[in-house]
Amino acid sequence: MKRIFTKFSVLTFLCFLFNYTAFAQNITVKGTVTDGGDKTTIPAVSVQVKGTTTGAQTDVNGNYSISAPANATLVFTYIGYTTQEVPVNNRTTVNIVLTSSAQQLDQVVVVGYGTQRKIDVTGSVATVKGDEISKQASVNPVSALQGKVAGIAISNSGAPGTAPQITIRGTGTVYGGVGVLYVVDGVWFDDINFLNPADIESMSILKDASSLSIYGIRAANGVVLVTTNKGKKGDAIINYTGTVGYQSVTNKLKMANATEYATLINELTASSGNPPLFKDPAGFGVGTDWYGQLLRNAMVTNHQLSVSGGGEKSTYNLSLGYLNQDGIVEKNNYTRYTARLSNDFQVLKPLRVGYSVSGTSSKTRDINTGIFRQLYAAGPVVPVYYADGTYGDPNDFSLGGGNNFNPQVTSDFYNGVTKDYKLVGNVYAELNIFKDLTFKTSIGGDFGQNEVRIYDPVYKATQGQQSDNSKLGIDRTEIRNWIIENTLTYKKLFGDHNLTVLAGQTAQRSKRYVIKASAMNVPFSSEGDLYLSLGDAANRTIYDEGAINTAVSYFGRINYAYKDRYLLNASLRADGASQFFGGGNLWGKFPSIGAGWVVTKEEFMKDQKVFNSLKLRGSWGKVGNAGVPINPTNLTIGQKGGYVAYFNGIAYTGKNIDTMVPAFLNWERSSGVDLGFEASFLDSRLSIEADYYNKTTQKAIFEIPVFSNIGLTTATQIGNQADFENKGYEFMASWRDKTEGGLTYSISGNFSYNKNIVKSTVTGKNPIYSGGGGLANGSRATRTLLGRPIGEFYGYQVDGIFQNTAEIAGSAQTSAKPGDFKYVDQNGDGVINGNDRVSIGNPNPKFNYGLNTSFAYKNFDLAIDIQGVAGVDVYNANQGIRFGNENFSKDFYDNRWHGEGTSNTYPSVNIGSTNNSAPNSYYVESGAYIRLRNAQLGYTLPQSLLGKWKMQKIRVFANAQNPVNLFGYKGFSPEISKQVTDKYSPTSAGIDANVYPLYATYSFGVNVTF
């Protein structure tokens, strides 16, 4: 064992191991741990020598080996089972039978800056184990949480390498940093796209303000604590998992074929009084299926290798990962390499030190961000290639400027690459000053670089797609972050009293530097020869910017329990952030308090037969949001090339005030209340957890529109504008059991309801408009208004389709044409204008739910997960983005108005006109869906066979992710993530302007343990 361990030490540059000789009085104790119910062995059981830090863990066969004094006591712990303490009594073999815990509250969960028994937690904390995450085909660990935790909503993007959006208990903030805080082994991150899901031991989701307030400065949107795998004492364990599969587009949108398209375009030209564009629509036949041309079944391979183990004084864990994922669009590809190493050393009896370091390198072969718009709009009458091999040219068919593109040309000549490098490290030391007092210090860092390179070559493919000059653009962002944390923890159990006191201090800095440069006429010979210096010196441009954030924090927490019956939790955190220096409040203070009552611990509950456990809890707390620009109250002046004036032939660069800034800006705070209960019944086979919450974001920061004609580049000003509220319910139930025939199974379901509403605004009833990206007529599709949800869809209510001129003459839309939308005159003034717009939909989901099951029979196992969303709307902007002769969906062709009486729900082909493309209820569709999120069938080879091969475990499995999707939305998927080119904002959520579609993943894999 020592020889193996030493070899790994040499191979790692931060590994310093020590050889220790066991004490003479120690003996080696071995044994097997089994389940008292089904008699199967239990892996990963913690075996600890009581009163020491010496420990081990059972292997996949339930076996353990540990060195301990002959008179020691061994403590056996495993989640869901009753902890046992067994004296060694000079025995070398100690076999243990664990019984299912009648008290699920004995489980241990990770919370801010430590762990707690679930019985002691007074807030709302959900935990997902690493083995549940690893059973998903998701390449991002956050996606694996979808449908598993009540109160969280996740939206995935189909683009490889893109992080999903996660919302915990509704929108927590609107402006700036709207994402959750991830804490990975003590280091703070905005996303964990760099993390290999196979490296995760557990993820804890902190949901209520009481559990969040200990992270005050960044907790407004929720916190996800990630614990990575660590080494365990015992022989070296080598584990390999490999999968290979393919991704396929689900619910592919069917477009009008060439004949149908030509028919539609002829109707469009006729509506303008022009002759038909196409003489014989039927002569085009089916034409080009542009989605079929560029979308593909994409391969994905994933490999993970880990080695872990340890001796009496040190443990180690080394993991390597490789992912190669093709996008569903040709040429799109994402490759990621990960490496992670952690070591822990018991240097002295009271001193423990350790570190973890991980590196990630990824490369994305990008696609043109407008390709999906082109695939939707491209004319099917245009061939991909002519018979002579040249590209089909839309100009040859007189399709006009709005449809003057061949998507194959866009794909072939786009050359964009994104590279990411990230190095993350953390070093800690933990000193037991005396028995009940522990000091811990840790230093972590995050060093990353992102580079986006786009090269436009010289080419001529079609009349509208050509370039006489090449251009090279490079954008590089460097990230340098560090965090230092020091904590003192005092734990004391005296009689019936259990007290834990935590005091801590944090200092951190985030630094970002961005440089953007471009050059014209850069020659291309190979990817490695693309240098800016090779371009024309006169046409080179360069722009850079940077930002530094610093913060200092002090925090404390008290946990008290009396007889494990009455619980109290109180914390306070104070944060000083540089963003607010020079204006507003520099410091924010975030208190919280929580209380719990374990009812089943009461004397009067001893003889009852209903509850195995029952706990009531309630909490209140405040958290903050520091995700705002640097020095937001400082007025800045821009100096750009557009501000150049010439006097006597000499260029003078001018300056201008670019933006308006507030006079002062205060901390955005969120105050929340949580009430809940946890209960188990029927020998703890059935467990239930329910919560009610109400959280209010106070002094929320919004972007308020201002007049742009005063010379501003950004026609908005930020400020503390509003208070808004999220309140709702969460419910979780699970059942675990085993039949007499040997079938072990578990079924768990979760359901959550959330309502979002603006409670007060500084501007009174003046609305905030947003959601204008991609809309054809320049209108904005969302509104945020007092008494209404954030970013609700806003427009005209459609009340049918005008069938003839007589209807138009008697309406409030006298300038309309037959086939146009008939809008409701809301105020009855006989005129249709902006005053008739109303709420037409809500992009904030009301209901999220999930059903997760697992079955095991002999050597077979099966897991099925179902996930869904209801009470949510999507704005289908794809239909109304029209500037000419763009294509239509097959659904529109089949249902359109094309003469009196043909339709009273779908308009004519004139949908792209100004009035018809204005935001209205026709474009709003239900975003509800239910999907088979994941299904995995596995088979583990029998031990009788593995023993001959000297292996511990071989499991083969087949996996299907998102194979079944049920919804009524007329697009690829109602799960709308952020647009590829847009920064996500809750005020413009739910607008589908040709986002990257989702897909199903089918894969096969093997897991081998040596």
Side-chain angles (χ1 to χ4, degrees), residues 46-57:
S46 174
V47 185
Q48 194 86 13
V49 178
K50 188 176 181 180
T52 73
T53 57
T54 301
Q57 190 178 47

Side-chain angles (χ1 to χ4, degrees), residues 8 58 97 182 226 239 250 256 330 351 427 499 519 533 541 551 567 604 616 645 666 779 792 807 845 907 919 960 968:
F8 280 103
T58 58
V97 177
Y182 298 95
V226 181
N239 184 272
T250 60
E330 63 175 23
L351 177 61
V427 180
L499 178 67
S533 60
T541 64
L567 315 170
F604 64 81
L616 308 180
N666 289 315
S779 299
E792 69 176 348
E807 281 189 11

Side-chain angles (χ1 to χ4, degrees), residues 59-97:
D59 60 22
V60 292
N61 299 316
N63 300 320
Y64 74 92
S65 177
I66 190 171
S67 178
N71 61 349
T73 297
L74 299 182
V75 182
F76 296 83
T77 306
Y78 190 69
I79 293 177
Y81 291 81
T82 301
T83 299
Q84 285 197 38
E85 296 185 5
V86 181
V88 174
N89 291 335
N90 208 32
R91 293 177 293 171
T92 57
T93 300
V94 178
N95 295 320
I96 296 297
V97 177

Side-chain angles (χ1 to χ4, degrees), residues 387-410:
D388 61 359
T390 59
Y391 290 102
D393 192 341
N395 189 68
D396 295 340
F397 299 83
S398 303
L399 296 187
N403 197 7
N404 196 11
F405 44 76
N406 179 326
Q408 188 66 58
V409 174
T410 302

